[in-house]
Amino acid sequence: MSKALFITATDTGAGKTIISCAIGLALQKKGIDVGYIKPFQCSGDDTDFVIKTLGIQDDKNLVNPYYAKDPLAPYAAFKREGIRINLDKVFSAYHKLKKRHEFLIIEGVGGLLVPLRENYLVADLIRDLDVPIAIVSRAGLGTINHTLLTQRYALDYGIKVRGVIINNYSGKTAAEKTNPDVLRGFLDVPILGVVARLKNIKSKDGLRMLAKTAGENIDLKALLKTEKPLTRQLIKRDKDFIWHPFTQMRDWLKDEPLIIEEAKGSYLKDSEGKWYLDGVSSLWVNVHGHRKKEIDAAIKRQLNKVAHSTLLGLGNVPSIELAKELIAIAPPGLAKVFYSDSGSSAVEIALKMAYQYWQYLDKAKTRFIHLENAYHGDTIGSVSVGGMDLFHKTYKGLLFESYKADSPYCYCCPKCKNYPGCNFECLDRLRDVLRQHHSSTAALIVEPLVQAAGGIIVWPEGIYRKMRELCHKHNVLLIADEVAVGFGRTGHMFASEAEGVTPDILCLAKGITGGYLPLAATLTTQKIFDAFSGEYKEQKTFFHGHTYTGNPLACAAALANLGLFKKEKTLQKLQPKIKFLGKELEKFKKLKHIGDIRQKGLIVGIELVKNKETKEPYPWEERIGIKVCQKAREYGVILRPLGNVIVLMPPLSISQEELKQLLDAAYKAISEITG
Ligand SMILES: Cc1ncc(COP(=O)(O)O)c(C=O)c1O
């Protein structure tokens, strides 16, 4: 695999070009084929000098995709010339040259915070290229400050820093003399070399000296080093110590698991350096992509203030701001936010809130109604209102009883004669239960529009609104569990919004922090909140709270996440992707073992069946879903099935091109595994 190194500097004029030449010459002397790219040059002839010195043969357009006349930051220089920088041109040149050469030197422009385009700095380019850097600093007064600032920013920004090269060292002044030792004491990265000031650098002798200096004074080994993959060791330790959720550990111990080490945008990178498209948003949480600048920065900013402070008896800034924002975007009528830290807790809170609420209204409403195929989490309360036998039957003895109504699972509905047409016959049972038990029922709990874990069961339009009406009619609260479907997944900010429904209680989690940190919120109405209001001695308090309730870091991430919905017009941009997805899924229907394809927004469930005509499912032990997802990994995509249903639930920020990659991988994997 070829290697690359980005040469940046503490400031302009520190000697990036000279050091690029020095390293290039020293590597060539070792017989290494060196390539060079300077993506942006503003005035001067640095590129020509390096091309000549290193004998570069590549096309100048690749070596220097952007040249401007004025000695300014590229953002200003190219703007003045009316040139819009197209980063794809830079990435494409970089990839071409990297493929061609054993080692590619990328020379930056100015320092890390030099702007290239609106909202895009040199540091962003480095992160996008995913290359390590060497920092060139020039010896002298001010060097320590500039060097430490650059190093600190780079490390904080997630850039890999190989080390610092002190250039132009004459050793004459006290500052220069003391620079290397002082820096060694304060840097977190090594000093890779101290390069002496050379005279007549452009002469033949000067260049010879430069190569010699680099060979002798720059630690080329450190520059060339590749981190040894620790995969073996990590897998062993994982198997030694970790019990994975929803996983048959005997299989896990036999398998070769992937260990994720990094991520960027829609992709995850494993410990061997292979990138995979995150086809299920890291279990339905990621929204704007991984390592999203704005969310990273918000967490760091909050970290500089306070990581955690309790909401028991105190308030904290981000939780207050977030609550206001959540109420502003939630369905109208919801007025209060109760925080917790997982979807299951959000549901527990909803159940306890509803249960306690009716006690204050002197009503013996103590039971709940849930739907078949429902999944609301793994804690005892949420399992009690779960409708998936596979997950829930084991714990039967621990659970409280709850009434069960039918799931609007059109594909399997024995009542619907003309699927996909629907007359909501599946509501009959709910109507009966409500008629019979409304006086003892506190609430109906549902996952609106899509029962996710139950198999991506997409509801027929309008049925959720009907459920709301029935709850009103029978004086039963409606709890909407939007843990999976909230925050844009269905194409609407909240699924309830799609049918103009305001539930009495709304459970949110997963996407709330953009997929960064555990946070959940249970929203409710003023009416429910007011029922708990009373004298201290009345003990009407809602006796519930978790240690990390309203965690400031998580709330800061959530605020940044919501900010991005506005700034990036996420929901508007989602609409063409949803259409594209729908169109592309058509061709899956022709496959022999596809029973049903269900889509709502960017959520897709592809149901595999043994027999298309009879809808006979694949037997559980055949692990067909698991096999398809394992195959998809060979095509660079991470998926996780729900039994025989293949789930696609990518980050909302996924590009159309990436979406195509996801679909192609799923198609190939399904075709190959089901034959
Ligand atoms: C609808 C729904 N509710 C609740 C949960 C539980 O959330 P958590 O895993 O954060 O406890 C999930 C998780 O998938 C879910 O899909």
Side-chain angles (χ1 to χ4, degrees):
M1 204 167 61
S2 71
K3 295 185 178 130
L5 178 72
F6 195 105
I7 309 284
T8 187
T10 53
D11 202 351
T12 193
K16 287 186 302 293
T17 307
I18 296 299
I19 295 300
S20 298
C21 286
I23 292 172
L25 288 168
L27 291 176
Q28 284 176 339
K29 220 162 141 191
K30 284 179 166 289
I32 295 171
D33 167 31
V34 176
Y36 170 79
I37 177 169
K38 175 142 175 114
F40 302 96
Q41 187 181 324
C42 299
S43 93
D45 59 357
D46 287 354
T47 313
D48 292 334
F49 176 62
V50 183
I51 287 177
K52 203 165 139 223
T53 305
L54 298 183
I56 298 289
Q57 302 288 321
D58 298 303
D59 185 1
K60 181 87 183 278
N61 284 330
L62 288 179
V63 176
N64 177 222
Y66 282 101
Y67 181 88
K69 287 194 304 295
D70 294 325
L72 294 168
Y75 170 74
F78 290 100
K79 206 168 174 194
R80 269 164 77 102
E81 293 185 20
I83 295 170
R84 173 143 177 91
I85 291 170
N86 174 6
L87 289 167
D88 285 340
K89 186 172 161 187
V90 172
F91 298 141
S92 142
Y94 164 78
H95 287 297
K96 270 191 194 140
L97 293 175
K98 188 154 180 270
K99 254 193 212 143
R100 263 182 218 171
H101 300 283
E102 276 176 272
F103 194 95
L104 183 66
I105 295 172
I106 309 130
E107 190 187 328
V109 51
L112 288 183
L113 299 191
V114 167
L116 300 175
R117 264 174 52 160
E118 310 76 47
N119 208 16
Y120 198 85
L121 309 173
V122 168
D124 296 309
L125 178 67
I126 295 170
R127 247 170 61 147
D128 284 343
L129 294 176
D130 195 24
V131 281
I133 63 168
I135 301 168
V136 179
S137 74
R138 50 122 192 89
L141 206 57
T143 295
I144 293 165
N145 177 50
H146 281 150
T147 312
L148 294 182
L149 276 174
T150 302
Q151 178 219 237
R152 182 167 300 175
Y153 186 84
L155 293 177
D156 284 355
Y157 207 53
I159 292 170
K160 294 175 203 86
V161 186
R162 287 271 184 264
V164 170
I165 299 169
I166 302 175
N167 184 34
N168 210 22
Y169 183 83
S170 75
K172 283 189 184 146
T173 66
E176 284 189 32
K177 275 186 204 152
T178 52
N179 276 167
D181 279 348
V182 176
L183 277 173
R184 259 184 213 105
F186 284 89
L187 282 168
D188 297 314
V189 297
I191 293 189
L192 300 170
V194 180
V195 176
R197 184 175 303 160
L198 295 172
K199 287 191 193 129
N200 294 328
I201 205 121
K202 295 196 171 170
S203 70
K204 258 198 172 153
D205 275 354
L207 289 173
R208 210 172 300 124
M209 275 306 292
L210 194 62
K212 191 165 174 295
T213 307
E216 289 168 2
N217 297 326
I218 296 180
D219 184 353
L220 293 177
K221 254 202 197 136
L223 280 184
L224 291 171
K225 98 167 181 227
T226 25
E227 272 104 44
K228 255 214 305 261
L230 289 169
T231 310
R232 288 278 115 238
Q233 199 184 84
L234 287 166
I235 291 179
K236 181 171 181 324
R237 288 191 183 156
D238 179 292
K239 289 183 174 180
D240 283 349
F241 301 116
I242 298 184
W243 188 343
H244 285 262
F246 281 96
T247 304
Q248 175 43 257
M249 288 307 287
R250 187 184 284 186
D251 291 341
W252 179 269
L253 295 177
K254 276 195 300 212
D255 284 350
E256 274 295 285
L258 288 188
I259 310 293
I260 299 304
E261 201 176 58
E262 256 181 67
K264 201 167 76 180
S266 306
Y267 292 87
L268 299 164
K269 184 167 130 189
D270 76 2
S271 52
E272 293 287 289
K274 189 168 174 204
W275 287 94
Y276 297 87
L277 185 70
D278 187 355
V280 286
S281 306
S282 294
L283 240 301
W284 317 347
V285 295
N286 194 280
V287 177
H288 303 289
H290 295 276
R291 269 168 67 199
K292 186 74 183 168
K293 217 162 52 173
E294 289 81 351
I295 307 182
D296 291 1
I299 295 172
K300 284 179 192 162
R301 272 197 303 274
Q302 184 56 41
L303 204 48
N304 288 331
K305 293 179 180 163
V306 56
H308 182 66
S309 144
T310 182
L311 281 202
L312 277 73
L314 295 172
N316 75 55
V317 180
S319 68
I320 297 168
E321 286 171 1
L322 178 62
K324 180 172 166 279
E325 289 293 315
L326 287 173
I327 293 303
I329 58 170
L334 293 170
K336 299 286 174 190
V337 176
F338 194 98
Y339 287 115
S340 59
D341 39 41
S342 73
S344 308
S345 312
V347 169
E348 293 289 333
I349 289 160
L351 298 174
K352 284 174 75 177
M353 220 176 236
Y355 182 89
Q356 197 169 337
Y357 167 77
W358 288 112
Q359 294 180 25
Y360 301 137
L361 269 70
D362 289 329
K363 296 253 164 47
K365 282 161 138 341
T366 56
R367 305 286 291 267
F368 292 90
I369 305 173
H370 70 271
L371 301 185
E372 197 190 345
N373 297 311
Y375 176 80
H376 297 291
D378 299 327
T379 50
I380 295 301
S382 56
V383 171
S384 298
V385 289
M388 295 178 65
D389 266 2
L390 176 67
F391 296 167
H392 302 145
K393 65 173 186 258
T394 318
Y395 310 103
K396 205 160 184 267
L398 287 176
L399 311 178
F400 58 75
E401 271 186 52
S402 167
Y403 303 117
K404 186 152 132 185
D406 292 345
S407 155
Y409 191 178
C410 304
Y411 176 63
C412 290
C413 179
K415 295 172 188 160
C416 273
K417 303 278 180 300
N418 55 344
Y419 172 78
C422 181
N423 296 319
F424 301 158
E425 285 95 339
C426 47
L427 280 185
D428 292 351
R429 167 102 188 116
L430 178 64
R431 281 195 192 95
D432 285 350
V433 174
L434 280 168
R435 219 176 286 127
Q436 264 188 58
H437 300 291
H438 63 93
S439 57
S440 62
T441 301
L444 163 71
I445 178 163
V446 299
E447 298 157 82
L449 303 200
V450 184
Q451 289 184 291
I456 312 293
I457 299 169
V458 176
W459 290 2
E461 219 179 297
I463 201 160
Y464 178 44
R465 206 171 27 248
K466 284 262 181 284
M467 289 180 186
R468 169 75 278 186
E469 286 162 18
L470 286 170
C471 285
H472 271 316
K473 183 173 160 198
H474 294 285
N475 198 21
V476 160
L477 297 179
L478 175 66
I479 301 173
D481 173 358
E482 294 217 25
V483 168
V485 294
F487 299 100
R489 295 271 168 220
T490 64
H492 304 267
M493 188 52 122
F494 298 112
S496 297
E497 186 186 301
E499 299 213 353
V501 166
T502 295
D504 299 286
I505 304 179
L506 174 68
C507 303
L508 303 173
K510 288 197 186 280
I512 190 169
T513 59
Y516 268 64
L517 287 165
L519 181 73
T522 307
L523 276 56
T524 192
T525 57
Q526 188 69 39
K527 190 172 158 200
I528 291 180
F529 175 83
D530 286 344
F532 288 70
S533 168
E535 294 296 327
Y536 183 75
K537 61 177 185 223
E538 289 179 84
Q539 298 187 344
K540 279 179 150 187
T541 305
F542 186 42
F543 289 108
H544 190 109
H546 298 282
T547 310
Y548 282 100
T549 290
N551 173 260
L553 284 180
C555 290
L559 277 164
N561 173 41
L562 295 185
L564 281 165
F565 269 97
K566 277 189 218 151
K567 180 174 155 198
E568 301 202 335
K569 301 192 170 62
T570 307
L571 294 176
Q572 287 99 307
K573 284 189 195 153
L574 204 55
Q575 302 314 317
K577 292 186 229 177
I578 294 170
K579 275 205 191 108
F580 175 75
L581 185 57
K583 220 170 87 208
E584 292 287 308
L585 281 168
E586 281 299 312
K587 76 167 189 229
F588 282 67
K589 288 188 181 155
K590 295 195 190 102
L591 290 174
K592 200 168 152 215
H593 293 278
I594 301 284
D596 195 18
I597 295 180
R598 300 183 282 271
Q599 183 201 356
K600 187 81 206 171
L602 224 54
I603 306 175
V604 175
I606 303 168
E607 181 151 349
L608 306 177
V609 283
K610 197 161 177 126
N611 187 322
K612 211 169 178 159
E613 307 307 317
T614 62
K615 297 183 186 173
E616 180 195 347
Y618 277 104
W620 171 253
E621 53 285 6
E622 221 169 290
R623 300 165 84 233
I624 198 80
I626 294 176
K627 285 182 192 158
V628 167
C629 295
Q630 272 164 352
K631 192 71 182 168
R633 282 190 193 175
E634 290 174 23
Y635 300 118
V637 168
I638 303 263
L639 296 176
R640 180 160 173 98
L642 291 162
N644 295 340
V645 177
I646 306 302
V647 179
L648 313 181
M649 212 190 284
L652 304 190
S653 56
I654 193 168
S655 68
Q656 189 156 312
E657 227 179 1
E658 292 166 348
L659 210 44
K660 183 94 177 72
Q661 185 197 345
L662 170 65
L663 287 157
D664 287 349
Y667 187 87
K668 280 193 277 188
I670 293 172
S671 316
E672 283 169 40
I673 295 296
T674 60

